[in-house]
Amino acid sequence: MRNNEAIRGMRTREQYKVMEFINRNFEPGALEIELVDGETIRGIDRNGRSMIFRWDQSTREVEALDDLVTR
């Protein structure tokens, strides 16, 4: 699935919060979205580069981390 203004397919509240962050910071359709776990989403751009977006329970914010895997 791609990021989109309408948030669909999230399984947890944490994933929903991460998708809100992604949609605020990226153009619609810019990332292919992969659900990693209940708090983590991988976003892959058109060039195959990816980032990990994770909800941090302690800070109640989204962390954006470089993903070591390039597709």
Side-chain angles (χ1 to χ4, degrees):
M1 89 181 82
R2 290 215 171 261
N3 70 305
N4 196 322
E5 292 175 6
I7 299 174
R8 298 184 192 117
M10 300 303 104
R11 298 183 187 129
T12 66
R13 183 174 49 141
E14 291 83 1
Q15 288 175 343
Y16 185 87
K17 294 284 191 185
V18 172
M19 279 305 299
E20 284 182 323
F21 174 87
I22 290 171
N23 286 338
R24 276 193 314 270
N25 292 285
F26 292 89
E27 293 291 325
L31 298 176
E32 182 70 27
I33 299 300
E34 179 182 311
L35 304 179
V36 177
D37 62 32
E39 298 177 342
T40 310
I41 294 175
R42 176 178 286 120
I44 305 164
D45 72 10
R46 293 179 183 103
N47 296 318
R49 293 179 300 214
S50 64
M51 288 189 75
I52 297 291
F53 301 93
R54 187 177 76 79
W55 179 255
D56 185 327
Q57 284 292 84
S58 62
T59 63
R60 303 187 64 75
E61 294 181 356
V62 174
E63 295 179 322
L65 310 166
D66 285 330
D67 189 6
L68 299 177
V69 178
T70 302
R71 297 172 188 257

Coordinates of all heavy atoms in Angstrom, one line a residue:
M1 N 0.8 -1.2 0.0 CA 0.0 0.0 0.0 C 0.9 1.2 0.0 O 2.0 1.2 0.4 CB -0.9 -0.1 1.2 CG -0.4 0.5 2.5 SD -1.5 0.4 3.9 CE -1.2 -1.2 4.4
R2 N 0.3 2.3 -0.5 CA 1.1 3.6 -0.5 C 0.5 4.5 0.5 O -0.6 4.4 0.9 CB 1.0 4.2 -1.9 CG 1.7 3.5 -2.9 CD 2.3 4.4 -3.9 NE 3.3 3.7 -4.8 CZ 4.6 3.7 -4.6 NH1 5.1 4.4 -3.7 NH2 5.4 3.1 -5.4
N3 N 1.4 5.5 1.0 CA 0.8 6.5 1.9 C -0.2 7.3 1.2 O -0.1 7.5 0.0 CB 1.9 7.3 2.5 CG 2.6 8.3 1.5 OD1 3.1 7.9 0.5 ND2 2.6 9.5 1.9
N4 N -1.2 7.7 1.9 CA -2.4 8.4 1.3 C -3.0 9.2 2.4 O -2.8 9.0 3.6 CB -3.4 7.3 0.8 CG -4.4 7.9 -0.2 OD1 -4.8 9.0 0.0 ND2 -4.7 7.1 -1.2
E5 N -3.7 10.2 2.0 CA -4.4 11.1 3.0 C -5.4 10.3 3.8 O -5.5 10.6 5.0 CB -5.1 12.2 2.3 CG -4.1 13.2 1.6 CD -4.8 14.3 0.9 OE1 -6.0 14.4 0.9 OE2 -4.1 15.1 0.2
A6 N -6.1 9.3 3.3 CA -7.0 8.5 4.0 C -6.2 7.3 4.6 O -5.5 6.6 3.9 CB -8.1 7.9 3.1
I7 N -6.1 7.2 5.9 CA -5.4 6.2 6.6 C -6.2 4.9 6.7 O -7.2 4.9 7.4 CB -4.9 6.7 8.0 CG1 -4.0 7.9 7.8 CG2 -4.1 5.5 8.7 CD1 -3.6 8.5 9.1
R8 N -5.8 3.9 6.0 CA -6.5 2.6 6.0 C -5.5 1.5 6.3 O -4.3 1.6 6.0 CB -7.1 2.4 4.6 CG -8.2 3.4 4.3 CD -8.8 3.0 3.0 NE -9.6 4.1 2.5 CZ -9.4 4.8 1.4 NH1 -8.4 4.4 0.6 NH2 -10.1 5.8 1.0
G9 N -6.0 0.4 6.8 CA -5.2 -0.8 6.9 C -4.3 -0.9 8.1 O -3.6 -1.9 8.3
M10 N -4.4 0.1 9.0 CA -3.5 0.0 10.2 C -4.2 -0.9 11.2 O -5.4 -0.9 11.4 CB -3.4 1.4 10.8 CG -2.7 2.5 9.9 SD -1.1 2.0 9.3 CE -1.5 1.5 7.6
R11 N -3.4 -1.7 11.9 CA -3.9 -2.7 12.8 C -3.8 -2.2 14.3 O -4.5 -2.7 15.1 CB -3.1 -3.9 12.7 CG -3.2 -4.5 11.3 CD -2.5 -5.9 11.2 NE -2.5 -6.3 9.8 CZ -1.4 -6.6 9.2 NH1 -0.2 -6.6 9.7 NH2 -1.5 -7.0 7.9
T12 N -3.0 -1.2 14.6 CA -2.9 -0.7 15.9 C -3.0 0.8 16.0 O -2.8 1.5 14.9 CB -1.5 -1.1 16.6 OG1 -0.5 -0.5 15.9 CG2 -1.3 -2.6 16.5
R13 N -3.2 1.4 17.1 CA -3.2 2.8 17.3 C -1.9 3.4 17.0 O -1.7 4.5 16.5 CB -3.7 3.1 18.7 CG -3.8 4.6 19.0 CD -4.4 4.8 20.4 NE -3.7 4.0 21.4 CZ -3.3 4.4 22.6 NH1 -3.7 5.6 23.0 NH2 -2.7 3.6 23.4
E14 N -0.8 2.7 17.4 CA 0.5 3.1 17.2 C 0.8 3.3 15.7 O 1.5 4.2 15.2 CB 1.6 2.2 17.9 CG 1.5 2.3 19.4 CD 0.4 1.4 20.0 OE1 -0.3 0.7 19.3 OE2 0.3 1.5 21.3
Q15 N 0.4 2.3 14.9 CA 0.6 2.3 13.5 C -0.1 3.5 12.9 O 0.4 4.2 12.0 CB 0.1 1.1 12.8 CG 1.0 -0.1 13.0 CD 0.4 -1.4 12.4 OE1 -0.8 -1.5 12.1 NE2 1.3 -2.4 12.3
Y16 N -1.3 3.8 13.4 CA -2.1 4.9 12.9 C -1.4 6.2 13.2 O -1.3 7.1 12.3 CB -3.5 4.9 13.7 CG -4.4 6.0 13.2 CD1 -5.2 5.8 12.1 CD2 -4.4 7.2 13.8 CE1 -6.1 6.8 11.6 CE2 -5.3 8.2 13.3 CZ -6.1 8.0 12.2 OH -6.9 9.0 11.8
K17 N -0.8 6.4 14.4 CA 0.0 7.6 14.7 C 1.2 7.7 13.8 O 1.5 8.8 13.4 CB 0.5 7.5 16.2 CG -0.6 7.6 17.2 CD -1.1 9.0 17.3 CE -2.0 9.1 18.5 NZ -2.6 10.4 18.6
V18 N 1.9 6.6 13.5 CA 3.0 6.7 12.6 C 2.5 7.1 11.2 O 3.2 7.9 10.5 CB 3.7 5.3 12.5 CG1 4.8 5.3 11.4 CG2 4.4 5.0 13.9
M19 N 1.4 6.6 10.7 CA 0.9 7.0 9.4 C 0.5 8.5 9.4 O 0.7 9.1 8.4 CB -0.3 6.1 9.0 CG 0.1 4.8 8.4 SD 1.3 4.9 7.0 CE 0.3 5.8 5.8
E20 N 0.0 9.0 10.5 CA -0.3 10.4 10.5 C 1.0 11.2 10.3 O 1.0 12.2 9.6 CB -0.9 10.8 11.9 CG -2.4 10.4 12.1 CD -2.9 10.8 13.4 OE1 -2.2 10.8 14.4 OE2 -4.1 11.3 13.4
F21 N 2.1 10.8 11.0 CA 3.4 11.4 10.9 C 3.8 11.4 9.4 O 4.3 12.4 8.8 CB 4.4 10.7 11.8 CG 5.8 11.2 11.6 CD1 6.2 12.4 12.3 CD2 6.7 10.6 10.8 CE1 7.5 12.8 12.1 CE2 8.0 11.1 10.6 CZ 8.4 12.2 11.3
I22 N 3.8 10.2 8.8 CA 4.2 10.0 7.4 C 3.4 10.9 6.5 O 4.0 11.6 5.6 CB 4.1 8.5 7.0 CG1 5.2 7.7 7.7 CG2 4.3 8.4 5.5 CD1 5.0 6.2 7.6
N23 N 2.1 11.0 6.7 CA 1.3 11.8 5.8 C 1.5 13.3 6.0 O 1.3 14.0 5.0 CB -0.2 11.4 6.0 CG -0.5 10.1 5.3 OD1 0.2 9.6 4.4 ND2 -1.6 9.4 5.8
R24 N 1.9 13.7 7.1 CA 2.2 15.1 7.4 C 3.5 15.5 6.7 O 3.7 16.6 6.3 CB 2.3 15.4 8.9 CG 1.0 15.7 9.6 CD 1.2 16.3 10.9 NE 2.2 15.6 11.8 CZ 2.0 14.6 12.6 NH1 0.7 14.2 12.7 NH2 2.9 14.1 13.3
N25 N 4.4 14.5 6.5 CA 5.8 14.8 6.1 C 6.1 14.4 4.7 O 7.2 14.7 4.2 CB 6.8 14.3 7.1 CG 6.7 15.0 8.4 OD1 7.2 16.1 8.6 ND2 6.1 14.3 9.4
F26 N 5.2 13.6 4.0 CA 5.5 13.1 2.7 C 4.3 13.4 1.8 O 3.2 13.3 2.3 CB 5.8 11.6 2.7 CG 7.1 11.3 3.4 CD1 7.2 11.1 4.7 CD2 8.3 11.2 2.6 CE1 8.4 10.8 5.3 CE2 9.5 10.9 3.2 CZ 9.6 10.7 4.6
E27 N 4.5 13.6 0.5 CA 3.5 13.8 -0.4 C 2.7 12.5 -0.5 O 3.3 11.4 -0.4 CB 4.1 14.1 -1.8 CG 4.7 15.4 -1.9 CD 3.8 16.6 -1.8 OE1 2.6 16.5 -2.3 OE2 4.1 17.6 -1.2
P28 N 1.4 12.6 -0.8 CA 0.6 11.3 -1.0 C 1.2 10.5 -2.1 O 1.5 11.0 -3.2 CB -0.8 11.9 -1.4 CG -0.9 13.2 -0.8 CD 0.5 13.8 -0.9
G29 N 1.3 9.2 -1.9 CA 1.8 8.2 -2.8 C 3.3 8.2 -3.0 O 3.8 7.4 -3.8
A30 N 4.0 9.0 -2.1 CA 5.5 9.0 -2.2 C 6.2 7.7 -1.7 O 7.3 7.4 -2.1 CB 6.0 10.2 -1.5
L31 N 5.5 7.0 -0.8 CA 6.1 5.9 -0.2 C 5.3 4.6 -0.3 O 4.1 4.7 -0.1 CB 6.4 6.1 1.3 CG 7.3 7.3 1.7 CD1 7.3 7.4 3.2 CD2 8.7 7.0 1.2
E32 N 5.9 3.5 -0.5 CA 5.3 2.2 -0.4 C 5.4 1.9 1.1 O 6.4 2.0 1.7 CB 6.0 1.2 -1.3 CG 5.4 -0.2 -1.3 CD 4.0 -0.2 -2.0 OE1 3.8 0.6 -2.9 OE2 3.2 -1.1 -1.6
I33 N 4.3 1.5 1.7 CA 4.2 1.3 3.1 C 4.2 -0.2 3.4 O 3.5 -1.0 2.8 CB 2.9 1.9 3.7 CG1 2.9 3.4 3.4 CG2 2.7 1.5 5.1 CD1 4.1 4.1 4.1
E34 N 5.0 -0.6 4.3 CA 5.1 -2.0 4.8 C 4.9 -2.0 6.3 O 5.7 -1.4 7.0 CB 6.4 -2.6 4.4 CG 6.7 -4.0 4.8 CD 8.1 -4.5 4.4 OE1 8.4 -4.3 3.2 OE2 8.8 -5.0 5.2
L35 N 3.9 -2.7 6.8 CA 3.7 -2.8 8.3 C 4.7 -3.9 8.8 O 4.8 -5.0 8.4 CB 2.3 -3.3 8.6 CG 1.2 -2.4 8.0 CD1 -0.2 -3.0 8.3 CD2 1.3 -1.0 8.5
V36 N 5.6 -3.4 9.7 CA 6.6 -4.3 10.3 C 6.2 -5.0 11.5 O 6.3 -6.2 11.6 CB 7.9 -3.5 10.5 CG1 9.0 -4.4 11.2 CG2 8.4 -2.9 9.3
D37 N 5.7 -4.2 12.5 CA 5.1 -4.8 13.7 C 4.1 -3.8 14.2 O 3.7 -2.8 13.5 CB 6.1 -5.2 14.7 CG 7.0 -4.0 15.2 OD1 6.4 -2.9 15.3 OD2 8.1 -4.2 15.6
G38 N 3.6 -3.9 15.4 CA 2.5 -3.1 15.9 C 2.9 -1.7 16.1 O 2.0 -0.8 16.2
E39 N 4.2 -1.3 16.2 CA 4.6 0.0 16.4 C 5.5 0.6 15.3 O 5.9 1.7 15.3 CB 5.4 0.1 17.7 CG 4.6 -0.2 18.9 CD 5.4 -0.2 20.2 OE1 6.6 -0.2 20.1 OE2 4.8 -0.1 21.3
T40 N 5.8 -0.2 14.2 CA 6.8 0.1 13.3 C 6.3 -0.1 11.8 O 5.6 -1.0 11.5 CB 8.0 -0.8 13.4 OG1 8.4 -0.8 14.8 CG2 9.2 -0.3 12.6
I41 N 6.6 0.9 11.0 CA 6.3 0.9 9.6 C 7.5 1.2 8.8 O 8.3 2.1 9.2 CB 5.2 1.9 9.3 CG1 3.9 1.5 9.9 CG2 5.0 2.1 7.8 CD1 2.7 2.5 9.8
R42 N 7.7 0.5 7.7 CA 8.8 0.8 6.8 C 8.2 1.6 5.6 O 7.2 1.2 5.0 CB 9.5 -0.5 6.3 CG 10.6 -0.3 5.2 CD 11.2 -1.5 4.8 NE 12.1 -2.0 5.9 CZ 12.0 -3.2 6.5 NH1 11.1 -4.0 6.2 NH2 12.8 -3.5 7.5
G43 N 8.9 2.6 5.2 CA 8.5 3.4 4.0 C 9.6 3.3 3.0 O 10.7 3.5 3.3
I44 N 9.2 2.9 1.8 CA 10.1 2.7 0.7 C 9.8 3.7 -0.4 O 8.7 3.7 -0.9 CB 10.0 1.3 0.2 CG1 10.2 0.3 1.3 CG2 11.1 1.0 -0.9 CD1 9.8 -1.1 1.0
D45 N 10.8 4.5 -0.8 CA 10.6 5.5 -1.9 C 10.8 4.9 -3.3 O 11.0 3.7 -3.4 CB 11.5 6.7 -1.7 CG 12.9 6.5 -2.0 OD1 13.3 5.4 -2.5 OD2 13.7 7.4 -1.7
R46 N 10.6 5.7 -4.3 CA 10.6 5.2 -5.7 C 12.0 4.7 -6.1 O 12.1 4.0 -7.1 CB 10.2 6.3 -6.6 CG 8.7 6.7 -6.4 CD 8.3 7.9 -7.4 NE 7.0 8.2 -7.1 CZ 6.6 9.3 -6.4 NH1 7.5 10.1 -5.9 NH2 5.3 9.6 -6.3
N47 N 13.0 5.1 -5.4 CA 14.4 4.7 -5.7 C 14.8 3.4 -4.9 O 15.9 3.0 -5.0 CB 15.4 5.8 -5.4 CG 15.2 7.0 -6.2 OD1 14.9 6.9 -7.4 ND2 15.2 8.2 -5.7
G48 N 13.9 2.9 -4.1 CA 14.2 1.7 -3.4 C 14.8 1.9 -2.0 O 15.1 1.0 -1.3
R49 N 15.0 3.2 -1.6 CA 15.6 3.5 -0.3 C 14.4 3.5 0.7 O 13.3 3.8 0.4 CB 16.2 4.9 -0.3 CG 17.5 4.9 -1.2 CD 18.1 6.3 -1.2 NE 17.0 7.2 -1.7 CZ 17.3 8.3 -2.4 NH1 18.5 8.6 -2.6 NH2 16.3 9.1 -2.8
S50 N 14.8 3.0 1.9 CA 13.7 2.9 2.9 C 14.1 3.5 4.2 O 15.3 3.7 4.5 CB 13.3 1.4 3.1 OG 14.4 0.7 3.5
M51 N 13.1 3.8 5.0 CA 13.3 4.4 6.3 C 12.3 3.6 7.2 O 11.3 3.1 6.8 CB 12.9 5.8 6.4 CG 14.0 6.7 5.8 SD 13.7 8.5 6.2 CE 14.2 8.5 7.9
I52 N 12.7 3.5 8.5 CA 11.8 2.9 9.5 C 11.2 4.0 10.3 O 11.9 4.9 10.8 CB 12.7 1.9 10.4 CG1 13.3 0.8 9.6 CG2 11.9 1.5 11.6 CD1 12.3 -0.2 9.1
F53 N 9.9 3.9 10.5 CA 9.2 4.9 11.3 C 8.6 4.1 12.5 O 7.9 3.1 12.3 CB 8.1 5.6 10.5 CG 8.6 6.3 9.3 CD1 8.7 5.7 8.1 CD2 9.0 7.6 9.5 CE1 9.1 6.4 7.0 CE2 9.5 8.3 8.3 CZ 9.6 7.7 7.1
R54 N 8.9 4.5 13.7 CA 8.5 3.7 14.9 C 7.9 4.7 15.9 O 8.5 5.7 16.2 CB 9.7 3.0 15.5 CG 9.4 2.0 16.6 CD 10.6 1.3 17.0 NE 11.5 2.1 17.9 CZ 11.3 2.4 19.2 NH1 10.2 1.9 19.8 NH2 12.1 3.1 19.8
W55 N 6.8 4.2 16.5 CA 6.2 4.9 17.6 C 7.0 4.6 18.9 O 7.2 3.5 19.3 CB 4.8 4.5 17.8 CG 4.1 5.2 18.9 CD1 3.8 4.7 20.1 CD2 3.6 6.6 19.0 NE1 3.1 5.6 20.9 CE2 3.1 6.8 20.2 CE3 3.7 7.6 18.1 CZ2 2.6 8.0 20.6 CZ3 3.2 8.9 18.5 CH2 2.6 9.0 19.7
D56 N 7.5 5.7 19.6 CA 8.2 5.5 20.8 C 7.3 5.8 22.0 O 6.8 6.9 22.2 CB 9.4 6.5 20.9 CG 10.3 6.3 22.1 OD1 9.8 5.9 23.2 OD2 11.5 6.5 22.0
Q57 N 6.9 4.7 22.7 CA 6.0 4.8 23.9 C 6.5 5.8 24.9 O 5.7 6.5 25.5 CB 5.7 3.5 24.5 CG 4.8 2.6 23.7 CD 3.4 3.1 23.7 OE1 3.1 3.9 22.8 NE2 2.6 2.6 24.5
S58 N 7.8 5.9 25.2 CA 8.3 6.7 26.3 C 8.2 8.2 25.9 O 7.8 9.0 26.8 CB 9.7 6.3 26.6 OG 10.6 6.5 25.5
T59 N 8.4 8.6 24.7 CA 8.4 10.0 24.3 C 7.0 10.3 23.7 O 6.7 11.5 23.5 CB 9.5 10.3 23.3 OG1 9.3 9.6 22.1 CG2 10.9 10.1 23.9
R60 N 6.3 9.3 23.3 CA 5.0 9.5 22.6 C 5.1 10.3 21.3 O 4.3 11.1 21.0 CB 3.9 10.1 23.5 CG 3.8 9.3 24.8 CD 2.7 9.7 25.7 NE 1.3 9.7 25.1 CZ 0.6 8.5 25.0 NH1 1.1 7.4 25.3 NH2 -0.6 8.6 24.5
E61 N 6.2 10.0 20.6 CA 6.5 10.6 19.3 C 7.0 9.5 18.3 O 7.4 8.4 18.7 CB 7.6 11.6 19.5 CG 7.2 12.8 20.3 CD 8.3 13.8 20.4 OE1 9.5 13.6 19.9 OE2 8.1 14.9 21.0
V62 N 7.0 9.9 17.1 CA 7.5 9.0 16.0 C 9.0 9.2 15.8 O 9.4 10.3 15.7 CB 6.7 9.2 14.7 CG1 7.3 8.4 13.6 CG2 5.3 8.9 14.9
E63 N 9.7 8.1 15.8 CA 11.2 8.2 15.5 C 11.3 7.7 14.0 O 10.7 6.8 13.5 CB 11.9 7.1 16.3 CG 12.0 7.4 17.8 CD 12.7 6.3 18.5 OE1 12.7 5.1 18.1 OE2 13.4 6.7 19.4
A64 N 12.1 8.5 13.3 CA 12.4 8.1 11.9 C 13.9 7.7 11.9 O 14.8 8.4 12.2 CB 12.2 9.3 11.0
L65 N 14.1 6.4 11.4 CA 15.5 5.8 11.5 C 15.8 5.4 10.1 O 15.0 4.9 9.3 CB 15.5 4.6 12.4 CG 14.9 4.8 13.8 CD1 14.7 3.5 14.5 CD2 15.8 5.7 14.6
D66 N 17.1 5.4 9.7 CA 17.6 4.9 8.5 C 17.5 3.4 8.5 O 17.7 2.7 9.5 CB 19.1 5.2 8.2 CG 19.3 6.7 7.9 OD1 18.4 7.3 7.2 OD2 20.4 7.2 8.2
D67 N 17.0 2.8 7.4 CA 16.9 1.4 7.3 C 18.1 0.9 6.6 O 18.5 1.5 5.5 CB 15.6 1.0 6.5 CG 15.3 -0.5 6.5 OD1 16.0 -1.2 7.2 OD2 14.4 -0.8 5.8
L68 N 18.8 -0.1 7.1 CA 20.0 -0.6 6.5 C 19.8 -1.4 5.2 O 20.7 -1.6 4.4 CB 20.8 -1.4 7.5 CG 21.2 -0.7 8.7 CD1 21.9 -1.6 9.7 CD2 22.1 0.5 8.4
V69 N 18.5 -1.8 5.0 CA 18.2 -2.6 3.8 C 17.8 -1.7 2.7 O 16.9 -0.8 2.8 CB 17.1 -3.6 4.1 CG1 16.7 -4.4 2.9 CG2 17.4 -4.5 5.2
T70 N 18.4 -1.8 1.5 CA 18.0 -1.0 0.3 C 17.4 -2.0 -0.7 O 18.0 -3.1 -0.9 CB 19.2 -0.3 -0.3 OG1 19.8 0.5 0.7 CG2 18.8 0.5 -1.5
R71 N 16.3 -1.7 -1.2 CA 15.6 -2.6 -2.1 C 15.8 -2.3 -3.5 O 16.0 -1.2 -3.9 CB 14.1 -2.6 -1.8 CG 13.9 -3.1 -0.4 CD 12.5 -3.0 0.1 NE 12.5 -3.3 1.5 CZ 12.1 -4.4 2.0 NH1 11.6 -5.3 1.2 NH2 12.1 -4.7 3.3

